[in-house]
Structures are given as C-alpha cells and as structure tokens.
C-alpha cells in the first residue's frame, strides 16, 4: 500500500525523492508513438524466435534475433546478458548464471536487472549483490552495449547459422570473459 504523497514527474525530469522507498513508474516514456506495423517492426518471427531461445534455455523477450539494428535491445541486450553471465561464472561468483535486463522504449537505462544463479552463488553472495556489481561494472544503455560489444560491425550473417551463443568465434564479442578479474576484485575475491 502506498503511503505519502504521489509525485507526477514529466519525462526528462528528476523526481524530488529517489531513495529505496521511491517507486518510479514509466508511463509511455517515448512520447507519441505513431510508427507501427511493418514499418516499425519487421523481420522473421515464429519459428525463428523458438530457435533463438535454444529450446527455452536462453530465454529472451520475444523479439527474433533476425534484425540487424544494434539499437534494438531485443537482440543486443540478450548478447549483453550472455556476456555478463559468462563473466560472472568465469570470475567464480557463481557456477551458473542468468541475467535479465528489462527496458522501456524511450528510457536508455534498464528499468531492472534480475540475476538468478540457480542457488550456485559463491562465497555467501546473493543474486541481488551480483546485480549491484553488474550495475557498477557494465554500460547497459543501448549505446553502452553497442560500444562494449562492438556491434556495428558486419557480424550478423555469421549468427544466422549454428546459433548465436556457445561458439568460439572472435566476432562474437559477447563470448569473451575479459571482465572476470574486475568482477572478482569488486567483491574482494582473490584470483
């Protein structure tokens, strides 16, 4: 139950209070949205979406990975989630990890970062603590994801066959574990 005053904050403004008790609700943060249908979203769907989930093990928001525009977080954030999860496991923070990044159109930062280590978190860490480390060590805006993973290269043809994940291909930057040492240091673990 909400207690206290409710503040309406226009898009682009900052709320007066922004602490643990503040609930931010984003209502149509993109503003007027007139572009829809084939002009706004086009690409393969249906069976392609099922293929991209790796039989349900690699869950994602429902957009097929067939688009080539890295500003669309359906694909780019899934790659970033893979990159983050691989680095968490490589750092020894967990035996397995799933990372969920939730976005709203018109708002560049993820509204939520959810982590599940399926009970395999190491050294008394909680999934919430790992999410806090992620927030501090990864650039999660669409621009940050594009820059981190260098997604403006012509790499997407190679992803169209044999899958997006689990292949040692130098073009697949989301498979690197180059942040493992920084994550280990962030929680005070020895290498």
């Amino acid at each position: 139950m909400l207690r206290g005053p409710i503040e309406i904050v226009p898009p682009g403004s900052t709320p007066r209070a922004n602490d643990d008790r503040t609930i931010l609700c984003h209502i149509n943060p993109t503003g007027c949205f007139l572009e829809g249908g084939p002009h706004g979203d086009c690409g393969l769907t249906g069976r392609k979406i099922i293929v991209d989930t790796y039989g349900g093990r690699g869950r994602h928001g429902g957009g097929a990975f067939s688009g080539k525009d890295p500003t669309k977080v359906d694909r780019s954030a899934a790659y970033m989630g893979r990159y983050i999860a691989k680095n968490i496991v490589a750092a020894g923070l967990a035996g397995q990890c799933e990372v969920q990044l939730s976005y709203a159109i018109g708002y560049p930062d993820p509204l939520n970062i959810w982590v599940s280590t399926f009970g395999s978190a190491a050294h008394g860490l909680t999934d919430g603590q790992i999410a806090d480390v992620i927030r501090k060590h990864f650039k999660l805006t669409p621009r940050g994801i594009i820059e981190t993973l260098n997604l403006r290269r012509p790499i997407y043809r190679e992803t169209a066959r044999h899958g997006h994940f689990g292949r040692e291909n130098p073009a697949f930057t989301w498979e690197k574990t180059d942040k493992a040492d920084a994550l280990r240091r962030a929680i005070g673990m020895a290498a």
Side-chain angles (χ1 to χ4, degrees), residues 50-67:
I50 300 306
V51 168
D52 290 340
T53 67
Y54 292 81
R57 180 69 172 138
R59 298 179 279 188
H60 65 82
F65 288 176
S66 55

Side-chain angles (χ1 to χ4, degrees), residues 32-179:
C32 184
F33 187 72
L34 298 175
E35 191 74 36
H39 300 291
D41 291 301
C42 51
L44 303 172
T45 55
R47 281 181 270 172
K48 181 73 171 102
I49 292 172
I50 300 306
V51 168
D52 290 340
T53 67
Y54 292 81
R57 180 69 172 138
R59 298 179 279 188
H60 65 82
F65 288 176
S66 55
K68 310 299 183 281
D69 181 356
T71 67
K72 306 299 183 235
V73 292
D74 294 20
R75 179 185 212 151
S76 299
Y79 290 167
M80 190 63 158
R82 168 73 175 184
Y83 175 64
I84 293 167
K86 281 196 69 159
N87 277 278
I88 287 168
V89 171
L93 306 186
Q96 60 179 313
C97 184
E98 179 179 16
V99 175
Q100 178 189 84
L101 305 170
S102 302
Y103 292 87
I105 295 171
Y107 191 76
D109 293 302
L111 299 180
N112 188 46
I113 300 170
W114 177 84
V115 172
S116 177
T117 59
F118 307 95
S120 70
H123 308 287
L125 287 172
T126 66
D127 293 350
Q129 289 170 317
I130 293 172
D132 290 340
V133 169
I134 290 169
R135 213 178 297 290
K136 293 174 186 160
H137 289 274
F138 293 92
K139 298 185 287 183
L140 299 174
T141 62
R143 173 179 277 166
I145 293 170
I146 290 166
E147 290 172 357
T148 298
L149 300 178
N150 194 14
L151 295 179
R152 292 224 186 259
R153 299 166 292 124
I155 57 172
Y156 298 109
R157 173 179 246 170
E158 194 60 34
T159 66
R161 57 186 162 80
H162 307 302
H164 304 261
F165 305 121
R167 293 196 291 151
E168 297 302 320
N169 181 328
F172 295 179
T173 52
W174 50 90
E175 296 292 334
K176 295 188 306 185
T177 55
D178 56 342
K179 287 276 209 174

